[in-house]
Amino acid sequence: METEGGMTMKSRIYHTVEKERMETGGSDGMVSIIRKDKKVVWQLMGNMYMEMPMDASNASGMDAFDITEQVEVGPETINGLKTTKSKIVAVKKDGSGKFGGFFWTTKEGITVKMDMLSKEGDKKMRMTSELSNLKIEKQDPALFEIPAGYTKNDMGAMMGGMPNMEELKKNARQQRQARESHAKESLGEQVPDVNKMMKGLFGK
């Protein structure tokens, strides 16, 4: 995904009709799970998760919009995939903005590429996105569940539903460092014991 200011973001996405998982930022990053069937969005970070109601502000893709105009332009191949290029104009369901642009979609309804201009108030923004390494196969249901051992964090409610990414990343790093230092301490405690055993065996 690339925005007008040159900011790029790469994510891995797992998708079914009712569920979506987006992994952003590698092992230190964040996971978003969208459950249309439960009408909730889960944000996973470290070993915590936040739950937010699914609405027009955090709906994925076209779920947040009503299409007002759609015109088929023609067939086009993108990244080796046969797609149909369409021009689409849509308005946000909550009335906060609209967009227009081009979408390249496979026969299964997967948007492989998107190039659009959105407008919210006086603010305009251009955004493009493209899928690479697309695989169509059965998804593991566990991808769309909260992993065992995760604790719920209500921080999102205090911040109007938006997670503080930097704070969450810092917490995740601190937790990982604490685990690593604990592992080192455990190892350190074993070293004198090994020395005692050596002294006992060899009398040195």
Short mmCIF file of all heavy atoms in Angstrom, two decimals, residues 163-201:
data_model
loop_
_atom_site.label_atom_id
_atom_site.label_comp_id
_atom_site.label_asym_id
_atom_site.label_seq_id
_atom_site.Cartn_x
_atom_site.Cartn_y
_atom_site.Cartn_z
N PRO A 163 -5.84 2.33 18.93
CA PRO A 163 -4.70 1.90 19.75
C PRO A 163 -3.50 2.81 19.56
O PRO A 163 -3.25 3.28 18.45
CB PRO A 163 -4.41 0.49 19.22
CG PRO A 163 -4.94 0.48 17.84
CD PRO A 163 -6.10 1.43 17.81
N ASN A 164 -2.79 3.07 20.65
CA ASN A 164 -1.55 3.84 20.58
C ASN A 164 -0.44 2.89 20.16
O ASN A 164 0.08 2.13 20.96
CB ASN A 164 -1.25 4.46 21.95
CG ASN A 164 -0.01 5.34 21.93
OD1 ASN A 164 0.91 5.11 21.14
ND2 ASN A 164 0.02 6.33 22.79
N MET A 165 -0.10 2.94 18.86
CA MET A 165 0.84 1.96 18.30
C MET A 165 2.19 1.97 19.00
O MET A 165 2.74 0.94 19.33
CB MET A 165 1.06 2.26 16.81
CG MET A 165 -0.04 1.75 15.91
SD MET A 165 -0.11 -0.05 15.89
CE MET A 165 1.39 -0.42 14.99
N GLU A 166 2.72 3.19 19.25
CA GLU A 166 4.05 3.27 19.85
C GLU A 166 4.07 2.68 21.25
O GLU A 166 4.98 1.98 21.64
CB GLU A 166 4.54 4.74 19.88
CG GLU A 166 4.94 5.28 18.52
CD GLU A 166 5.90 4.33 17.77
OE1 GLU A 166 6.91 3.94 18.34
OE2 GLU A 166 5.62 4.00 16.61
N GLU A 167 3.00 2.99 22.01
CA GLU A 167 2.91 2.47 23.38
C GLU A 167 2.81 0.95 23.37
O GLU A 167 3.47 0.26 24.14
CB GLU A 167 1.67 3.08 24.05
CG GLU A 167 1.61 2.91 25.57
CD GLU A 167 2.78 3.58 26.30
OE1 GLU A 167 3.25 4.64 25.86
OE2 GLU A 167 3.22 3.02 27.30
N LEU A 168 2.00 0.43 22.46
CA LEU A 168 1.83 -1.03 22.36
C LEU A 168 3.13 -1.71 21.94
O LEU A 168 3.49 -2.75 22.48
CB LEU A 168 0.71 -1.36 21.37
CG LEU A 168 -0.71 -1.09 21.84
CD1 LEU A 168 -1.68 -1.24 20.70
CD2 LEU A 168 -1.11 -2.01 22.98
N LYS A 169 3.83 -1.10 20.98
CA LYS A 169 5.11 -1.68 20.53
C LYS A 169 6.12 -1.69 21.66
O LYS A 169 6.86 -2.65 21.84
CB LYS A 169 5.67 -0.87 19.34
CG LYS A 169 5.09 -1.26 18.00
CD LYS A 169 5.82 -0.55 16.89
CE LYS A 169 5.28 -0.99 15.54
NZ LYS A 169 5.93 -0.31 14.44
N LYS A 170 6.13 -0.56 22.45
CA LYS A 170 7.07 -0.45 23.57
C LYS A 170 6.77 -1.55 24.60
O LYS A 170 7.67 -2.23 25.07
CB LYS A 170 6.94 0.93 24.22
CG LYS A 170 8.09 1.27 25.18
CD LYS A 170 8.06 2.72 25.59
CE LYS A 170 7.06 2.90 26.72
NZ LYS A 170 6.98 4.29 27.19
N ASN A 171 5.47 -1.74 24.88
CA ASN A 171 5.08 -2.79 25.84
C ASN A 171 5.50 -4.17 25.35
O ASN A 171 5.99 -4.98 26.12
CB ASN A 171 3.55 -2.78 26.06
CG ASN A 171 3.12 -1.56 26.85
OD1 ASN A 171 3.96 -0.89 27.45
ND2 ASN A 171 1.83 -1.27 26.84
N ALA A 172 5.30 -4.41 24.04
CA ALA A 172 5.65 -5.72 23.47
C ALA A 172 7.16 -5.95 23.57
O ALA A 172 7.61 -7.04 23.92
CB ALA A 172 5.21 -5.79 22.01
N ARG A 173 7.95 -4.86 23.28
CA ARG A 173 9.41 -4.97 23.38
C ARG A 173 9.85 -5.24 24.81
O ARG A 173 10.71 -6.07 25.07
CB ARG A 173 10.07 -3.68 22.86
CG ARG A 173 10.23 -3.63 21.35
CD ARG A 173 11.24 -2.57 20.94
NE ARG A 173 10.83 -1.25 21.35
CZ ARG A 173 10.09 -0.43 20.60
NH1 ARG A 173 9.68 -0.82 19.42
NH2 ARG A 173 9.76 0.77 21.03
N GLN A 174 9.23 -4.50 25.77
CA GLN A 174 9.59 -4.67 27.18
C GLN A 174 9.30 -6.10 27.66
O GLN A 174 10.08 -6.70 28.38
CB GLN A 174 8.83 -3.66 28.05
CG GLN A 174 9.40 -2.26 27.95
CD GLN A 174 8.51 -1.22 28.61
OE1 GLN A 174 7.38 -1.51 28.99
NE2 GLN A 174 9.02 0.00 28.75
N GLN A 175 8.14 -6.62 27.22
CA GLN A 175 7.78 -8.00 27.60
C GLN A 175 8.78 -9.00 27.05
O GLN A 175 9.19 -9.93 27.74
CB GLN A 175 6.38 -8.34 27.07
CG GLN A 175 5.27 -7.71 27.89
CD GLN A 175 3.93 -7.88 27.22
OE1 GLN A 175 3.82 -8.53 26.19
NE2 GLN A 175 2.90 -7.29 27.80
N ARG A 176 9.20 -8.77 25.78
CA ARG A 176 10.14 -9.70 25.17
C ARG A 176 11.51 -9.62 25.86
O ARG A 176 12.14 -10.63 26.13
CB ARG A 176 10.28 -9.39 23.68
CG ARG A 176 10.80 -10.59 22.88
CD ARG A 176 10.84 -10.38 21.40
NE ARG A 176 11.73 -9.32 21.03
CZ ARG A 176 11.33 -8.14 20.56
NH1 ARG A 176 10.06 -7.90 20.39
NH2 ARG A 176 12.20 -7.20 20.25
N GLN A 177 11.94 -8.36 26.17
CA GLN A 177 13.22 -8.18 26.85
C GLN A 177 13.20 -8.82 28.24
O GLN A 177 14.17 -9.42 28.68
CB GLN A 177 13.55 -6.69 26.96
CG GLN A 177 14.06 -6.10 25.64
CD GLN A 177 14.01 -4.58 25.63
OE1 GLN A 177 13.59 -3.96 26.60
NE2 GLN A 177 14.44 -3.98 24.53
N ALA A 178 12.05 -8.67 28.92
CA ALA A 178 11.93 -9.27 30.26
C ALA A 178 12.04 -10.78 30.18
O ALA A 178 12.70 -11.42 31.00
CB ALA A 178 10.59 -8.87 30.88
N ARG A 179 11.40 -11.36 29.16
CA ARG A 179 11.46 -12.82 28.98
C ARG A 179 12.89 -13.26 28.70
O ARG A 179 13.38 -14.24 29.24
CB ARG A 179 10.53 -13.26 27.84
CG ARG A 179 9.06 -13.32 28.22
CD ARG A 179 8.27 -14.14 27.23
NE ARG A 179 8.31 -13.60 25.88
CZ ARG A 179 7.44 -12.72 25.42
NH1 ARG A 179 6.47 -12.26 26.18
NH2 ARG A 179 7.54 -12.29 24.18
N GLU A 180 13.58 -12.47 27.81
CA GLU A 180 14.96 -12.82 27.44
C GLU A 180 15.90 -12.70 28.63
O GLU A 180 16.74 -13.55 28.86
CB GLU A 180 15.44 -11.91 26.30
CG GLU A 180 14.84 -12.29 24.95
CD GLU A 180 15.13 -11.26 23.88
OE1 GLU A 180 15.84 -10.28 24.16
OE2 GLU A 180 14.62 -11.44 22.74
N SER A 181 15.73 -11.61 29.45
CA SER A 181 16.63 -11.43 30.59
C SER A 181 16.37 -12.49 31.64
O SER A 181 17.27 -12.97 32.29
CB SER A 181 16.48 -10.02 31.17
OG SER A 181 15.41 -9.94 32.04
N HIS A 182 15.10 -12.91 31.77
CA HIS A 182 14.76 -13.97 32.71
C HIS A 182 15.43 -15.29 32.28
O HIS A 182 15.95 -16.03 33.09
CB HIS A 182 13.25 -14.16 32.80
CG HIS A 182 12.84 -15.25 33.75
ND1 HIS A 182 13.02 -15.16 35.11
CD2 HIS A 182 12.29 -16.47 33.52
CE1 HIS A 182 12.60 -16.29 35.67
NE2 HIS A 182 12.14 -17.09 34.73
N ALA A 183 15.41 -15.51 30.95
CA ALA A 183 16.05 -16.73 30.42
C ALA A 183 17.55 -16.71 30.71
O ALA A 183 18.15 -17.72 31.08
CB ALA A 183 15.80 -16.84 28.92
N LYS A 184 18.17 -15.50 30.57
CA LYS A 184 19.60 -15.37 30.83
C LYS A 184 19.90 -15.62 32.31
O LYS A 184 20.87 -16.26 32.67
CB LYS A 184 20.09 -13.98 30.42
CG LYS A 184 20.28 -13.83 28.92
CD LYS A 184 20.66 -12.42 28.56
CE LYS A 184 20.63 -12.23 27.05
NZ LYS A 184 20.64 -10.82 26.69
N GLU A 185 19.01 -15.05 33.18
CA GLU A 185 19.20 -15.23 34.63
C GLU A 185 19.13 -16.71 34.98
O GLU A 185 19.92 -17.22 35.75
CB GLU A 185 18.12 -14.47 35.41
CG GLU A 185 18.41 -12.98 35.50
CD GLU A 185 17.20 -12.21 36.01
OE1 GLU A 185 16.34 -12.86 36.65
OE2 GLU A 185 17.11 -11.00 35.78
N SER A 186 18.14 -17.38 34.40
CA SER A 186 17.98 -18.82 34.67
C SER A 186 19.23 -19.57 34.27
O SER A 186 19.69 -20.47 34.97
CB SER A 186 16.78 -19.38 33.89
OG SER A 186 15.62 -18.69 34.27
N LEU A 187 19.79 -19.16 33.14
CA LEU A 187 21.01 -19.81 32.64
C LEU A 187 22.17 -19.51 33.59
O LEU A 187 22.95 -20.39 33.93
CB LEU A 187 21.32 -19.27 31.24
CG LEU A 187 22.15 -20.15 30.32
CD1 LEU A 187 21.38 -21.42 29.99
CD2 LEU A 187 22.49 -19.41 29.04
N GLY A 188 22.21 -18.22 34.04
CA GLY A 188 23.28 -17.81 34.94
C GLY A 188 23.27 -18.57 36.25
O GLY A 188 24.31 -18.89 36.81
N GLU A 189 22.05 -18.87 36.75
CA GLU A 189 21.95 -19.60 38.01
C GLU A 189 22.49 -21.02 37.88
O GLU A 189 22.95 -21.60 38.85
CB GLU A 189 20.48 -19.67 38.45
CG GLU A 189 19.97 -18.33 39.00
CD GLU A 189 18.45 -18.27 39.03
OE1 GLU A 189 17.84 -19.33 38.81
OE2 GLU A 189 17.90 -17.19 39.24
N GLN A 190 22.43 -21.55 36.67
CA GLN A 190 22.87 -22.94 36.49
C GLN A 190 24.39 -23.05 36.42
O GLN A 190 24.95 -24.08 36.74
CB GLN A 190 22.27 -23.50 35.19
CG GLN A 190 20.78 -23.75 35.29
CD GLN A 190 20.18 -24.01 33.94
OE1 GLN A 190 20.91 -24.37 33.02
NE2 GLN A 190 18.88 -23.84 33.81
N VAL A 191 25.07 -21.95 36.04
CA VAL A 191 26.53 -22.03 35.84
C VAL A 191 27.28 -22.38 37.12
O VAL A 191 28.09 -23.30 37.12
CB VAL A 191 27.06 -20.70 35.22
CG1 VAL A 191 28.58 -20.72 35.14
CG2 VAL A 191 26.46 -20.52 33.83
N PRO A 192 27.01 -21.72 38.29
CA PRO A 192 27.73 -22.10 39.51
C PRO A 192 27.50 -23.57 39.88
O PRO A 192 28.41 -24.23 40.36
CB PRO A 192 27.14 -21.17 40.58
CG PRO A 192 26.53 -20.04 39.82
CD PRO A 192 26.08 -20.62 38.53
N ASP A 193 26.30 -24.06 39.63
CA ASP A 193 26.00 -25.46 39.93
C ASP A 193 26.89 -26.39 39.11
O ASP A 193 27.40 -27.38 39.61
CB ASP A 193 24.53 -25.78 39.63
CG ASP A 193 23.60 -25.05 40.59
OD1 ASP A 193 24.09 -24.56 41.63
OD2 ASP A 193 22.41 -24.95 40.27
N VAL A 194 27.10 -26.04 37.85
CA VAL A 194 27.96 -26.85 36.98
C VAL A 194 29.39 -26.82 37.52
O VAL A 194 30.07 -27.84 37.59
CB VAL A 194 27.91 -26.31 35.52
CG1 VAL A 194 28.93 -27.03 34.66
CG2 VAL A 194 26.52 -26.49 34.92
N ASN A 195 29.83 -25.62 37.96
CA ASN A 195 31.18 -25.48 38.52
C ASN A 195 31.34 -26.36 39.78
O ASN A 195 32.37 -27.00 39.97
CB ASN A 195 31.48 -24.03 38.87
CG ASN A 195 31.69 -23.18 37.64
OD1 ASN A 195 31.99 -23.72 36.57
ND2 ASN A 195 31.51 -21.89 37.74
N LYS A 196 30.31 -26.35 40.62
CA LYS A 196 30.37 -27.17 41.86
C LYS A 196 30.50 -28.65 41.49
O LYS A 196 31.24 -29.38 42.10
CB LYS A 196 29.08 -26.97 42.68
CG LYS A 196 29.10 -25.73 43.54
CD LYS A 196 27.77 -25.63 44.30
CE LYS A 196 27.58 -24.25 44.89
NZ LYS A 196 26.23 -24.08 45.39
N MET A 197 29.72 -29.04 40.49
CA MET A 197 29.77 -30.46 40.06
C MET A 197 31.15 -30.81 39.57
O MET A 197 31.70 -31.87 39.88
CB MET A 197 28.74 -30.70 38.93
CG MET A 197 27.31 -30.88 39.46
SD MET A 197 26.11 -30.75 38.15
CE MET A 197 26.69 -31.98 37.02
N MET A 198 31.76 -29.90 38.78
CA MET A 198 33.10 -30.14 38.24
C MET A 198 34.10 -30.27 39.39
O MET A 198 34.96 -31.16 39.39
CB MET A 198 33.52 -28.99 37.32
CG MET A 198 32.68 -28.87 36.04
SD MET A 198 32.79 -30.32 34.98
CE MET A 198 34.32 -29.97 34.14
N LYS A 199 33.97 -29.36 40.38
CA LYS A 199 34.89 -29.41 41.54
C LYS A 199 34.73 -30.74 42.28
O LYS A 199 35.69 -31.37 42.69
CB LYS A 199 34.58 -28.25 42.50
CG LYS A 199 35.19 -26.93 42.05
CD LYS A 199 34.83 -25.82 43.02
CE LYS A 199 35.30 -24.48 42.48
NZ LYS A 199 34.79 -23.38 43.29
N GLY A 200 33.46 -31.15 42.44
CA GLY A 200 33.20 -32.43 43.13
C GLY A 200 33.79 -33.62 42.40
O GLY A 200 34.32 -34.53 43.03
N LEU A 201 33.70 -33.58 41.08
CA LEU A 201 34.19 -34.72 40.29
C LEU A 201 35.71 -34.79 40.24
O LEU A 201 36.28 -35.83 40.35
CB LEU A 201 33.66 -34.59 38.83
CG LEU A 201 32.19 -35.02 38.61
CD1 LEU A 201 31.74 -34.59 37.22
CD2 LEU A 201 32.03 -36.53 38.76
#
